[in-house]
Amino acid sequence: MRPQFGIVFTPAPHADLVRWATLAEEGGFERLGIADSPSLYRDAYALMAVVLSKTRRIHVGPRVTNPMLVHPGVMASTLASLSELSGGRVYMGIGTGHSALLNVGLKPASLGTLRSFVVAVRSLLTTGEAEWQGKHARMTWRAEQPVPIYVAAGGPKSLEMAGEIGDGVIIGNGMTPEVVVHDMACIERGARTSGRALRDLHLQWLMAACVADDPEQAGREARAQMCSNAHSVFQHGIEGQFVPAPLKERVQALSDGYMVTEHARPGESAHNAQLVDELGLREYLMDRFGIVGSPERCVERIKELQSRGINAFWMSVHTTEKERVIRLLSEKVLPHFL
């Protein structure tokens, strides 16, 4: 089966983001995610409007938003407006929240809140009516094209819920064999709850991606993003997270030492990037969370992951040389699969 490729950027000056998005679209990427973390980055939705107006095919959405900072009516209207602007090239990626909430002193949302928010947004988009926190909400207009909702999930309960209520699932727990088997089983249980099968859902695997002709350079540049991926997974503890016993103490230290104010900040001097090597975890994080290395190694890695049942690759590219990474992926990696 032909794999699908998406790409994720943190918001940047609009001219830069448009250039990266255009390169990604031309290179064969089908989806673009723009990080929604207002304390750290520019507004994702204003930039989505600009990117959608300057591209023709690529689908764009928040990757990911959360249910704590806006009313579902605001989210539904924003998504519908962007869908109308783009001819239906909009989706919503949503999770319980990470840096967007931690940096304003809020805790991640409960699964109950996430479920209620997703149900309310979908209802507003499809029927114009919804219930939210005991109040009735209305939306008197609707976009003609559907807006898919992808739920980002990590723990067993959230994976099951995502399989139950999502049009698709964004999976960020990593890609080692035991993690893939576990996560798919959880999602399948949730899908059955809503009368669906695993094949009815679009499963998208989130990973750190960095490619360079020098594999060592790629590994250095990927450290900050891999550390961010790891903190998202391990912030609530490492038990039951398939961490090898000899690495548990170091992985816990990585999570404890993570600086959320530098979430996904690229650069070899960044605290989170340095922490990875201080704890000797680069190879482990590359194996669990990354497609990292030379173009040839990245092709091999994608084939390896396909053999585990992964067929939708959502690549987080948070390096200082994004254009180089996009071009190498587009010219030397993706053509092997498109």
Side-chain angles (χ1 to χ4, degrees), residues 3-331:
Q4 297 177 332
F5 295 97
I7 196 163
V8 178
F9 301 129
T10 50
H14 72 276
D16 292 335
L17 198 60
V18 166
R19 188 168 64 254
W20 303 336
T22 301
L23 286 172
E25 181 176 67
E26 293 172 350
F29 286 94
E30 297 165 294
R31 283 178 177 79
L32 167 63
I34 299 179
D36 183 11
S37 191
S39 294
L40 299 180
Y41 312 121
R42 293 160 176 83
D43 181 75
Y45 302 91
L47 290 171
M48 284 171 58
V50 175
V51 168
L52 286 164
S53 70
K54 300 294 185 180
T55 54
R56 296 177 296 161
R57 297 183 304 277
I58 199 165
H59 288 236
V60 181
R63 211 287 319 149
V64 296
T65 190
N66 67 82
M68 300 295 288
L69 298 182
V70 300
H71 189 280
V74 174
M75 180 60 69
S77 181
T78 298
L79 294 170
S81 299
L82 291 168
S83 179
E84 185 177 70
L85 168 72
S86 64
R89 291 188 289 124
V90 171
Y91 65 86
M92 179 174 76
I94 186 167
T96 56
H98 188 240
S99 65
L101 301 181
L102 298 177
N103 277 303
V104 294
L106 297 177
K107 295 180 180 179
S110 68
L111 291 183
T113 298
L114 177 59
R115 175 191 288 273
S116 297
F117 191 90
V118 169
V119 169
V121 171
R122 178 179 283 119
S123 183
L124 286 166
L125 287 168
T126 56
T127 73
E129 306 281 340
E131 298 296 321
W132 174 247
Q133 297 181 340
K135 305 288 185 181
H136 188 71
R138 293 184 178 86
M139 184 170 161
T140 61
W141 71 281
R142 292 187 294 281
E144 294 182 1
Q145 301 293 328
V147 178
I149 297 177
Y150 299 95
V151 181
K157 291 182 180 179
S158 65
L159 287 163
E160 286 190 33
M161 188 186 75
E164 179 186 351
I165 68 172
D167 298 303
V169 184
I170 301 169
I171 307 163
N173 281 350
M175 302 168 292
T176 53
E178 65 278 9
V179 172
V180 172
V181 170
H182 171 268
D183 288 2
M184 284 188 172
C186 291
I187 295 167
E188 186 172 27
R189 285 196 297 272
R192 288 175 179 168
T193 302
S194 59
R196 299 182 295 175
L198 196 63
R199 64 177 178 272
D200 298 323
L201 301 176
H202 187 196
L203 306 186
Q204 303 180 357
W205 299 80
L206 179 66
M207 59 210 62
C210 189
V211 57
D213 291 325
D214 176 5
E216 168 63 21
Q217 178 186 355
R220 289 196 310 271
E221 292 181 346
R223 291 176 301 164
Q225 177 57 35
M226 294 190 299
C227 191
S228 296
N229 287 28
H231 184 260
S232 296
V233 174
F234 303 129
Q235 61 179 314
H236 301 301
I238 62 173
E239 293 306 318
Q241 295 288 0
F242 302 98
V243 178
L247 298 181
K248 284 187 174 181
E249 185 174 336
R250 283 184 278 163
V251 170
Q252 186 64 61
L254 183 81
S255 184
D256 293 342
Y258 184 80
M259 288 182 61
V260 71
T261 53
E262 289 194 2
H263 180 70
R265 183 171 77 85
E268 296 184 23
S269 64
H271 168 83
N272 295 333
Q274 292 184 334
L275 188 61
V276 170
D277 281 353
E278 288 171 7
L279 293 168
L281 289 172
R282 190 196 297 189
E283 292 301 320
Y284 170 68
L285 296 183
M286 286 171 59
D287 181 56
R288 179 155 181 170
F289 297 109
I291 293 180
V292 179
S294 67
E296 295 77 16
R297 173 55 189 149
C298 290
V299 170
E300 292 173 0
R301 175 70 163 154
I302 291 171
K303 291 179 179 179
E304 171 189 319
L305 295 173
Q306 282 186 294
S307 72
R308 298 176 190 173
I310 296 174
N311 211 48
F313 300 84
W314 210 331
M315 301 177 175
S316 288
V317 177
H318 301 321
T319 68
T320 54
E321 296 185 31
K322 290 182 177 64
E323 289 190 37
R324 185 206 74 227
V325 175
I326 299 166
R327 290 187 185 280
L328 284 174
L329 286 169
S330 299
E331 296 171 4

